Amino acid sequence: MGVKCILFDLDGTLVSTGGAGARALEDAFFSIYKVRHAMEKVNPAGKTDPAIIREIFHLNFQRDCDSVEMQCVQQKYLEFLPEECRKADDYEVMPQIPELLVRLEKLNVAMGLGTGNLERGARIKLDRSGLNGYLPFGGFGSDSEVRADLLKAGHEKASRFAKKTIDPSDVWVVGDTERDILAARAAQFKVIAVATGNSSEAFLMSHRPDHCLVDFKETDRFIDIIFS
């Protein structure tokens, strides 16, 4: 049996930061461009950070941003993010996630992130949860603006971490939005959808994931799926 790899989405799947990321991005746009409520018309669910920044530019300035502007906004965002995460009253680790990660680690599953967050931003968001140590690699929005491509980057890093080529058929993507499902399909990985975010189980099922769970409380079932 080959090494199993799981790429977990972050926001709405592992943790809820109580909107810390959105507030930090609004802080960044106000700091640089004096734009208030930059995220007001943006639904960030399942999108990469660079794509969200690009969307804000189109909504507020009716144009795309150049590479210098993209880098500047990202840097400011990362400066504001730690404090926003620290003071978030409703920061939450999803129920049973710590227990699930402990069990998967004992089973020698290669666990990483598959998230649209910038890598540094993802680590900042997870720092308060204490989960970073379980997820030493990943694919991030800083690897690619395209979600399927960042998942492929996560797979490559998983193989380097495991020091063994991991077959794509042994890679599972776990996420709470339809974009996680579509990206996993495009990358030719399997996918477990979880209704832990803002999408209902019925909505996620309509996008035909391999499996769909309400939450992570059925840890035995989750592990059975991975090893089935």
Side-chain angles (χ1 to χ4, degrees), residues 21 24 43 53 58 64 66 68 70 73 78 97 107 111 139-140 157 164 176 186 196 207 219 226:
N43 177 8
I53 292 169
H58 281 290
D64 202 350
D66 60 34
V68 174
M70 177 67 79
V73 172
L78 293 171
I97 279 293
L107 293 168
M111 295 182 291
F140 303 92
K157 294 177 193 177
K164 181 178 181 180
D176 67 298
T196 50
H207 289 83
T219 55
I226 297 299

Side-chain angles (χ1 to χ4, degrees), residues 135-178:
L135 306 156
F137 61 85
F140 303 92
S142 40
D143 290 311
S144 176
E145 192 169 332
V146 179
R147 197 168 188 105
D149 291 341
L150 71 83
L151 292 176
K152 292 177 184 178
H155 172 219
E156 292 172 3
K157 294 177 193 177
S159 291
R160 291 200 295 270
F161 174 79
K163 298 180 181 178
K164 181 178 181 180
T165 300
I166 298 176
D167 192 275
S169 65
D170 286 323
V171 179
W172 287 87
V173 174
V174 180
D176 67 298
T177 74
E178 75 278 13

Side-chain angles (χ1 to χ4, degrees), residues 10-29:
L10 196 162
D11 296 292
T13 300
L14 294 175
V15 302
S16 170
T17 63
R23 290 192 297 274
L25 202 47
E26 290 194 330
D27 292 342
F29 269 91

Side-chain angles (χ1 to χ4, degrees), residues 20-173:
R23 290 192 297 274
L25 202 47
E26 290 194 330
D27 292 342
F29 269 91
F30 182 74
S31 174
I32 301 168
Y33 301 106
K34 305 307 177 191
V35 171
R36 295 185 183 275
H37 312 299
M39 290 289 292
E40 189 171 27
K41 296 180 180 179
V42 178
N43 177 8
K47 297 176 183 176
T48 63
D49 282 351
I52 292 169
I53 292 169
R54 209 175 293 283
E55 185 174 348
I56 292 172
F57 265 86
H58 281 290
L59 287 170
N60 288 276
F61 308 125
Q62 293 73 54
R63 65 175 179 85
D64 202 350
C65 61
D66 60 34
S67 59
V68 174
E69 290 170 320
M70 177 67 79
Q71 187 63 36
C72 184
V73 172
Q74 289 181 9
Q75 184 59 44
K76 275 293 179 185
Y77 161 73
L78 293 171
E79 289 176 12
F80 286 114
L81 186 58
E83 177 62 15
E84 291 293 351
C85 287
R86 186 197 66 77
K87 69 183 185 182
D89 291 333
D90 45 358
Y91 184 102
E92 176 190 15
V93 178
M94 294 302 173
Q96 297 300 120
I97 279 293
E99 293 84 352
L100 176 62
L101 297 185
V102 168
R103 290 187 64 184
L104 291 169
E105 185 179 56
K106 290 178 179 177
L107 293 168
N108 295 316
V109 175
M111 295 182 291
L113 293 167
T115 173
N117 282 273
L118 303 173
E119 182 169 8
R120 186 176 159 204
R123 296 306 178 188
I124 291 169
K125 285 184 175 182
L126 278 179
D127 187 58
R128 180 171 165 180
S129 72
L131 300 179
N132 268 316
Y134 292 103
L135 306 156
F137 61 85
F140 303 92
S142 40
D143 290 311
S144 176
E145 192 169 332
V146 179
R147 197 168 188 105
D149 291 341
L150 71 83
L151 292 176
K152 292 177 184 178
H155 172 219
E156 292 172 3
K157 294 177 193 177
S159 291
R160 291 200 295 270
F161 174 79
K163 298 180 181 178
K164 181 178 181 180
T165 300
I166 298 176
D167 192 275
S169 65
D170 286 323
V171 179
W172 287 87
V173 174

